[in-house]
mmCIF file of all heavy atoms in Angstrom:
data_model
loop_
_atom_site.group_PDB
_atom_site.id
_atom_site.type_symbol
_atom_site.label_atom_id
_atom_site.label_comp_id
_atom_site.label_asym_id
_atom_site.label_seq_id
_atom_site.Cartn_x
_atom_site.Cartn_y
_atom_site.Cartn_z
ATOM 1 N N GLY A 86 128.170 -100.059 -80.216
ATOM 2 C CA GLY A 86 129.072 -99.827 -81.325
ATOM 3 C C GLY A 86 130.303 -100.708 -81.362
ATOM 4 O O GLY A 86 131.190 -100.508 -82.194
ATOM 5 N N LYS A 87 130.359 -101.722 -80.509
ATOM 6 C CA LYS A 87 131.565 -102.542 -80.420
ATOM 7 C C LYS A 87 131.519 -103.800 -81.287
ATOM 8 O O LYS A 87 132.553 -104.401 -81.548
ATOM 9 C CB LYS A 87 131.806 -102.940 -78.959
ATOM 10 C CG LYS A 87 132.125 -101.762 -78.049
ATOM 11 C CD LYS A 87 132.365 -102.221 -76.619
ATOM 12 C CE LYS A 87 132.716 -101.048 -75.704
ATOM 13 N NZ LYS A 87 132.931 -101.480 -74.306
ATOM 14 N N ARG A 88 130.321 -104.195 -81.704
ATOM 15 C CA ARG A 88 130.185 -105.429 -82.478
ATOM 16 C C ARG A 88 129.253 -105.218 -83.671
ATOM 17 O O ARG A 88 128.431 -104.311 -83.682
ATOM 18 C CB ARG A 88 129.642 -106.559 -81.596
ATOM 19 C CG ARG A 88 130.607 -107.021 -80.504
ATOM 20 C CD ARG A 88 129.942 -107.995 -79.565
ATOM 21 N NE ARG A 88 128.866 -107.359 -78.816
ATOM 22 C CZ ARG A 88 127.929 -108.013 -78.137
ATOM 23 N NH1 ARG A 88 127.932 -109.334 -78.120
ATOM 24 N NH2 ARG A 88 126.999 -107.381 -77.474
ATOM 25 N N ILE A 89 129.409 -106.104 -84.649
ATOM 26 C CA ILE A 89 128.526 -106.131 -85.800
ATOM 27 C C ILE A 89 127.995 -107.548 -85.949
ATOM 28 O O ILE A 89 128.736 -108.523 -85.779
ATOM 29 C CB ILE A 89 129.263 -105.749 -87.098
ATOM 30 C CG1 ILE A 89 129.806 -104.324 -87.031
ATOM 31 C CG2 ILE A 89 128.347 -105.893 -88.315
ATOM 32 C CD1 ILE A 89 130.747 -103.992 -88.171
ATOM 33 N N ALA A 90 126.717 -107.665 -86.265
ATOM 34 C CA ALA A 90 126.132 -108.955 -86.639
ATOM 35 C C ALA A 90 125.856 -108.927 -88.137
ATOM 36 O O ALA A 90 125.405 -107.915 -88.676
ATOM 37 C CB ALA A 90 124.837 -109.213 -85.878
ATOM 38 N N SER A 91 126.153 -110.028 -88.812
ATOM 39 C CA SER A 91 125.928 -110.103 -90.258
ATOM 40 C C SER A 91 125.236 -111.407 -90.612
ATOM 41 O O SER A 91 125.498 -112.454 -90.027
ATOM 42 C CB SER A 91 127.256 -109.999 -91.013
ATOM 43 O OG SER A 91 128.149 -111.034 -90.634
ATOM 44 N N GLY A 92 124.338 -111.318 -91.592
ATOM 45 C CA GLY A 92 123.621 -112.490 -92.082
ATOM 46 C C GLY A 92 123.970 -112.760 -93.528
ATOM 47 O O GLY A 92 124.115 -111.834 -94.330
ATOM 48 N N SER A 93 124.120 -114.025 -93.872
ATOM 49 C CA SER A 93 124.620 -114.418 -95.177
ATOM 50 C C SER A 93 123.610 -115.232 -95.971
ATOM 51 O O SER A 93 122.713 -115.869 -95.417
ATOM 52 C CB SER A 93 125.895 -115.250 -94.999
ATOM 53 O OG SER A 93 126.259 -115.927 -96.179
ATOM 54 N N GLU A 94 123.798 -115.228 -97.282
ATOM 55 C CA GLU A 94 122.974 -116.064 -98.151
ATOM 56 C C GLU A 94 123.242 -117.545 -97.915
ATOM 57 O O GLU A 94 122.476 -118.402 -98.336
ATOM 58 C CB GLU A 94 123.242 -115.707 -99.612
ATOM 59 C CG GLU A 94 122.202 -116.227 -100.562
ATOM 60 C CD GLU A 94 122.188 -115.518 -101.895
ATOM 61 O OE1 GLU A 94 122.893 -114.507 -102.041
ATOM 62 O OE2 GLU A 94 121.455 -115.975 -102.777
ATOM 63 N N TYR A 95 124.340 -117.827 -97.193
ATOM 64 C CA TYR A 95 124.732 -119.210 -96.924
ATOM 65 C C TYR A 95 124.150 -119.724 -95.607
ATOM 66 O O TYR A 95 124.646 -120.672 -95.027
ATOM 67 C CB TYR A 95 126.254 -119.313 -96.910
ATOM 68 C CG TYR A 95 126.792 -120.716 -97.074
ATOM 69 C CD1 TYR A 95 126.534 -121.446 -98.227
ATOM 70 C CD2 TYR A 95 127.555 -121.312 -96.076
ATOM 71 C CE1 TYR A 95 127.025 -122.730 -98.385
ATOM 72 C CE2 TYR A 95 128.066 -122.605 -96.213
ATOM 73 C CZ TYR A 95 127.792 -123.308 -97.375
ATOM 74 O OH TYR A 95 128.276 -124.577 -97.539
ATOM 75 N N SER A 96 123.119 -119.036 -95.081
ATOM 76 C CA SER A 96 122.338 -119.503 -93.924
ATOM 77 C C SER A 96 122.988 -119.229 -92.565
ATOM 78 O O SER A 96 122.464 -119.672 -91.546
ATOM 79 C CB SER A 96 122.026 -121.013 -94.019
ATOM 80 O OG SER A 96 121.454 -121.330 -95.255
ATOM 81 N N THR A 97 124.117 -118.553 -92.531
ATOM 82 C CA THR A 97 124.797 -118.346 -91.256
ATOM 83 C C THR A 97 124.769 -116.881 -90.824
ATOM 84 O O THR A 97 124.546 -115.972 -91.632
ATOM 85 C CB THR A 97 126.268 -118.795 -91.322
ATOM 86 O OG1 THR A 97 126.964 -117.986 -92.285
ATOM 87 C CG2 THR A 97 126.375 -120.258 -91.696
ATOM 88 N N ILE A 98 125.031 -116.688 -89.522
ATOM 89 C CA ILE A 98 125.177 -115.361 -88.919
ATOM 90 C C ILE A 98 126.555 -115.319 -88.285
ATOM 91 O O ILE A 98 127.009 -116.305 -87.686
ATOM 92 C CB ILE A 98 124.095 -115.122 -87.847
ATOM 93 C CG1 ILE A 98 122.707 -115.199 -88.476
ATOM 94 C CG2 ILE A 98 124.292 -113.791 -87.141
ATOM 95 C CD1 ILE A 98 121.645 -115.661 -87.532
ATOM 96 N N ARG A 99 127.223 -114.180 -88.399
ATOM 97 C CA ARG A 99 128.522 -114.010 -87.751
ATOM 98 C C ARG A 99 128.537 -112.735 -86.924
ATOM 99 O O ARG A 99 127.826 -111.774 -87.239
ATOM 100 C CB ARG A 99 129.655 -113.953 -88.782
ATOM 101 C CG ARG A 99 130.109 -115.329 -89.264
ATOM 102 C CD ARG A 99 131.385 -115.244 -90.066
ATOM 103 N NE ARG A 99 131.941 -116.537 -90.404
ATOM 104 C CZ ARG A 99 132.759 -117.243 -89.627
ATOM 105 N NH1 ARG A 99 133.122 -116.765 -88.458
ATOM 106 N NH2 ARG A 99 133.220 -118.417 -90.019
ATOM 107 N N MET A 100 129.361 -112.756 -85.864
ATOM 108 C CA MET A 100 129.608 -111.573 -85.052
ATOM 109 C C MET A 100 131.047 -111.129 -85.293
ATOM 110 O O MET A 100 131.956 -111.954 -85.453
ATOM 111 C CB MET A 100 129.389 -111.888 -83.577
ATOM 112 C CG MET A 100 127.939 -112.131 -83.196
ATOM 113 S SD MET A 100 126.927 -110.625 -83.239
ATOM 114 C CE MET A 100 127.537 -109.782 -81.773
ATOM 115 N N TRP A 101 131.237 -109.795 -85.280
ATOM 116 C CA TRP A 101 132.539 -109.214 -85.571
ATOM 117 C C TRP A 101 132.922 -108.199 -84.502
ATOM 118 O O TRP A 101 132.065 -107.486 -83.981
ATOM 119 C CB TRP A 101 132.523 -108.503 -86.923
ATOM 120 C CG TRP A 101 131.991 -109.321 -88.051
ATOM 121 C CD1 TRP A 101 130.674 -109.534 -88.362
ATOM 122 C CD2 TRP A 101 132.746 -110.054 -89.019
ATOM 123 N NE1 TRP A 101 130.567 -110.336 -89.465
ATOM 124 C CE2 TRP A 101 131.820 -110.670 -89.895
ATOM 125 C CE3 TRP A 101 134.118 -110.227 -89.241
ATOM 126 C CZ2 TRP A 101 132.224 -111.462 -90.973
ATOM 127 C CZ3 TRP A 101 134.518 -111.012 -90.312
ATOM 128 C CH2 TRP A 101 133.583 -111.623 -91.160
ATOM 129 N N ASP A 102 134.208 -108.117 -84.216
ATOM 130 C CA ASP A 102 134.743 -107.102 -83.324
ATOM 131 C C ASP A 102 135.039 -105.861 -84.165
ATOM 132 O O ASP A 102 135.849 -105.901 -85.090
ATOM 133 C CB ASP A 102 136.017 -107.613 -82.644
ATOM 134 C CG ASP A 102 136.563 -106.643 -81.624
ATOM 135 O OD1 ASP A 102 136.974 -105.533 -82.017
ATOM 136 O OD2 ASP A 102 136.604 -106.992 -80.436
ATOM 137 N N VAL A 103 134.363 -104.762 -83.865
ATOM 138 C CA VAL A 103 134.514 -103.549 -84.672
ATOM 139 C C VAL A 103 135.937 -103.003 -84.618
ATOM 140 O O VAL A 103 136.490 -102.550 -85.632
ATOM 141 C CB VAL A 103 133.506 -102.474 -84.212
ATOM 142 C CG1 VAL A 103 133.816 -101.121 -84.830
ATOM 143 C CG2 VAL A 103 132.082 -102.898 -84.555
ATOM 144 N N LYS A 104 136.567 -103.069 -83.459
ATOM 145 C CA LYS A 104 137.907 -102.490 -83.294
ATOM 146 C C LYS A 104 138.956 -103.261 -84.084
ATOM 147 O O LYS A 104 139.835 -102.669 -84.729
ATOM 148 C CB LYS A 104 138.278 -102.463 -81.813
ATOM 149 C CG LYS A 104 139.562 -101.709 -81.516
ATOM 150 C CD LYS A 104 139.792 -101.595 -80.011
ATOM 151 C CE LYS A 104 141.056 -100.797 -79.712
ATOM 152 N NZ LYS A 104 141.279 -100.657 -78.236
ATOM 153 N N THR A 105 138.877 -104.592 -84.055
ATOM 154 C CA THR A 105 139.912 -105.403 -84.691
ATOM 155 C C THR A 105 139.504 -105.960 -86.057
ATOM 156 O O THR A 105 140.363 -106.346 -86.853
ATOM 157 C CB THR A 105 140.284 -106.595 -83.793
ATOM 158 O OG1 THR A 105 139.154 -107.485 -83.690
ATOM 159 C CG2 THR A 105 140.672 -106.120 -82.407
ATOM 160 N N GLY A 106 138.201 -106.009 -86.309
ATOM 161 C CA GLY A 106 137.718 -106.615 -87.545
ATOM 162 C C GLY A 106 137.686 -108.128 -87.510
ATOM 163 O O GLY A 106 137.368 -108.776 -88.513
ATOM 164 N N ALA A 107 138.007 -108.711 -86.352
ATOM 165 C CA ALA A 107 138.061 -110.172 -86.223
ATOM 166 C C ALA A 107 136.671 -110.749 -85.976
ATOM 167 O O ALA A 107 135.807 -110.110 -85.364
ATOM 168 C CB ALA A 107 138.983 -110.564 -85.076
ATOM 169 N N THR A 108 136.460 -111.975 -86.455
ATOM 170 C CA THR A 108 135.215 -112.671 -86.150
ATOM 171 C C THR A 108 135.215 -113.068 -84.678
ATOM 172 O O THR A 108 136.261 -113.352 -84.090
ATOM 173 C CB THR A 108 135.048 -113.926 -87.014
ATOM 174 O OG1 THR A 108 136.189 -114.765 -86.845
ATOM 175 C CG2 THR A 108 134.904 -113.555 -88.476
ATOM 176 N N ILE A 109 134.032 -113.082 -84.080
ATOM 177 C CA ILE A 109 133.873 -113.470 -82.672
ATOM 178 C C ILE A 109 133.184 -114.825 -82.648
ATOM 179 O O ILE A 109 132.025 -114.962 -83.066
ATOM 180 C CB ILE A 109 133.026 -112.433 -81.910
ATOM 181 C CG1 ILE A 109 133.689 -111.058 -81.950
ATOM 182 C CG2 ILE A 109 132.813 -112.878 -80.464
ATOM 183 C CD1 ILE A 109 132.831 -109.945 -81.387
ATOM 184 N N GLY A 110 133.893 -115.824 -82.178
ATOM 185 C CA GLY A 110 133.308 -117.151 -82.067
ATOM 186 C C GLY A 110 133.011 -117.800 -83.407
ATOM 187 O O GLY A 110 133.473 -117.355 -84.462
ATOM 188 N N LYS A 111 132.196 -118.825 -83.361
ATOM 189 C CA LYS A 111 131.828 -119.570 -84.550
ATOM 190 C C LYS A 111 130.547 -118.993 -85.167
ATOM 191 O O LYS A 111 129.792 -118.279 -84.498
ATOM 192 C CB LYS A 111 131.612 -121.040 -84.193
ATOM 193 C CG LYS A 111 132.870 -121.748 -83.704
ATOM 194 C CD LYS A 111 132.573 -123.204 -83.374
ATOM 195 C CE LYS A 111 133.835 -123.915 -82.908
ATOM 196 N NZ LYS A 111 133.572 -125.356 -82.590
ATOM 197 N N PRO A 112 130.285 -119.316 -86.434
ATOM 198 C CA PRO A 112 129.028 -118.872 -87.039
ATOM 199 C C PRO A 112 127.818 -119.421 -86.286
ATOM 200 O O PRO A 112 127.865 -120.520 -85.736
ATOM 201 C CB PRO A 112 129.091 -119.455 -88.457
ATOM 202 C CG PRO A 112 130.528 -119.735 -88.709
ATOM 203 C CD PRO A 112 131.119 -120.083 -87.371
ATOM 204 N N PHE A 113 126.747 -118.634 -86.255
ATOM 205 C CA PHE A 113 125.479 -119.086 -85.686
ATOM 206 C C PHE A 113 124.782 -119.869 -86.796
ATOM 207 O O PHE A 113 124.490 -119.321 -87.870
ATOM 208 C CB PHE A 113 124.588 -117.911 -85.299
ATOM 209 C CG PHE A 113 125.159 -116.960 -84.274
ATOM 210 C CD1 PHE A 113 126.477 -117.030 -83.840
ATOM 211 C CD2 PHE A 113 124.359 -115.963 -83.751
ATOM 212 C CE1 PHE A 113 126.981 -116.134 -82.915
ATOM 213 C CE2 PHE A 113 124.842 -115.064 -82.819
ATOM 214 C CZ PHE A 113 126.172 -115.149 -82.400
ATOM 215 N N GLU A 114 124.506 -121.135 -86.535
ATOM 216 C CA GLU A 114 123.911 -121.987 -87.557
ATOM 217 C C GLU A 114 122.585 -122.559 -87.077
ATOM 218 O O GLU A 114 122.441 -122.907 -85.915
ATOM 219 C CB GLU A 114 124.873 -123.115 -87.921
ATOM 220 C CG GLU A 114 126.186 -122.614 -88.518
ATOM 221 C CD GLU A 114 127.130 -123.737 -88.870
ATOM 222 O OE1 GLU A 114 126.973 -124.830 -88.295
ATOM 223 O OE2 GLU A 114 128.021 -123.528 -89.716
ATOM 224 N N GLY A 115 121.631 -122.630 -88.005
ATOM 225 C CA GLY A 115 120.325 -123.177 -87.649
ATOM 226 C C GLY A 115 119.292 -122.939 -88.723
ATOM 227 O O GLY A 115 118.356 -123.721 -88.881
ATOM 228 N N HIS A 116 119.451 -121.852 -89.492
ATOM 229 C CA HIS A 116 118.521 -121.584 -90.580
ATOM 230 C C HIS A 116 118.767 -122.544 -91.744
ATOM 231 O O HIS A 116 119.886 -123.048 -91.938
ATOM 232 C CB HIS A 116 118.673 -120.142 -91.068
ATOM 233 C CG HIS A 116 118.019 -119.134 -90.181
ATOM 234 N ND1 HIS A 116 116.656 -119.094 -89.970
ATOM 235 C CD2 HIS A 116 118.538 -118.116 -89.443
ATOM 236 C CE1 HIS A 116 116.362 -118.094 -89.158
ATOM 237 N NE2 HIS A 116 117.477 -117.488 -88.808
ATOM 238 N N ASN A 117 117.727 -122.761 -92.533
ATOM 239 C CA ASN A 117 117.818 -123.609 -93.713
ATOM 240 C C ASN A 117 117.681 -122.814 -95.001
ATOM 241 O O ASN A 117 117.405 -123.367 -96.065
ATOM 242 C CB ASN A 117 116.732 -124.691 -93.673
ATOM 243 C CG ASN A 117 116.908 -125.633 -92.500
ATOM 244 O OD1 ASN A 117 118.010 -126.097 -92.235
ATOM 245 N ND2 ASN A 117 115.826 -125.908 -91.793
ATOM 246 N N GLY A 118 117.875 -121.519 -94.898
ATOM 247 C CA GLY A 118 117.805 -120.637 -96.062
ATOM 248 C C GLY A 118 118.626 -119.399 -95.818
ATOM 249 O O GLY A 118 119.250 -119.238 -94.751
ATOM 250 N N SER A 119 118.663 -118.498 -96.772
ATOM 251 C CA SER A 119 119.446 -117.272 -96.639
ATOM 252 C C SER A 119 118.953 -116.445 -95.450
ATOM 253 O O SER A 119 117.760 -116.416 -95.149
ATOM 254 C CB SER A 119 119.351 -116.453 -97.920
ATOM 255 O OG SER A 119 118.016 -116.074 -98.181
ATOM 256 N N VAL A 120 119.890 -115.786 -94.758
ATOM 257 C CA VAL A 120 119.540 -114.914 -93.630
ATOM 258 C C VAL A 120 119.326 -113.510 -94.195
ATOM 259 O O VAL A 120 120.275 -112.747 -94.390
ATOM 260 C CB VAL A 120 120.634 -114.926 -92.546
ATOM 261 C CG1 VAL A 120 120.218 -114.042 -91.380
ATOM 262 C CG2 VAL A 120 120.878 -116.351 -92.055
ATOM 263 N N ASP A 121 118.064 -113.192 -94.470
ATOM 264 C CA ASP A 121 117.725 -111.949 -95.156
ATOM 265 C C ASP A 121 117.713 -110.735 -94.241
ATOM 266 O O ASP A 121 117.734 -109.606 -94.727
ATOM 267 C CB ASP A 121 116.353 -112.087 -95.830
ATOM 268 C CG ASP A 121 116.343 -113.127 -96.934
ATOM 269 O OD1 ASP A 121 117.425 -113.447 -97.456
ATOM 270 O OD2 ASP A 121 115.254 -113.628 -97.282
ATOM 271 N N SER A 122 117.663 -110.951 -92.934
ATOM 272 C CA SER A 122 117.583 -109.826 -92.000
ATOM 273 C C SER A 122 118.147 -110.213 -90.640
ATOM 274 O O SER A 122 117.949 -111.343 -90.178
ATOM 275 C CB SER A 122 116.127 -109.355 -91.847
ATOM 276 O OG SER A 122 115.267 -110.452 -91.603
ATOM 277 N N VAL A 123 118.868 -109.277 -90.030
ATOM 278 C CA VAL A 123 119.323 -109.440 -88.649
ATOM 279 C C VAL A 123 119.031 -108.152 -87.887
ATOM 280 O O VAL A 123 119.052 -107.065 -88.461
ATOM 281 C CB VAL A 123 120.837 -109.757 -88.537
ATOM 282 C CG1 VAL A 123 121.137 -111.159 -89.025
ATOM 283 C CG2 VAL A 123 121.679 -108.733 -89.263
#
Side-chain angles (χ1 to χ4, degrees):
K87 295 180 179 179
R88 292 172 295 165
I89 298 170
S91 59
S93 166
E94 196 161 352
Y95 198 62
S96 308
T97 63
I98 299 151
R99 278 191 173 274
M100 290 289 287
W101 309 81
D102 184 295
V103 169
K104 188 174 182 179
T105 66
T108 55
I109 300 172
K111 296 180 179 181
F113 300 9
E114 298 180 338
H116 282 296
N117 297 314
S119 61
V120 182
D121 295 339
S122 49
V123 289

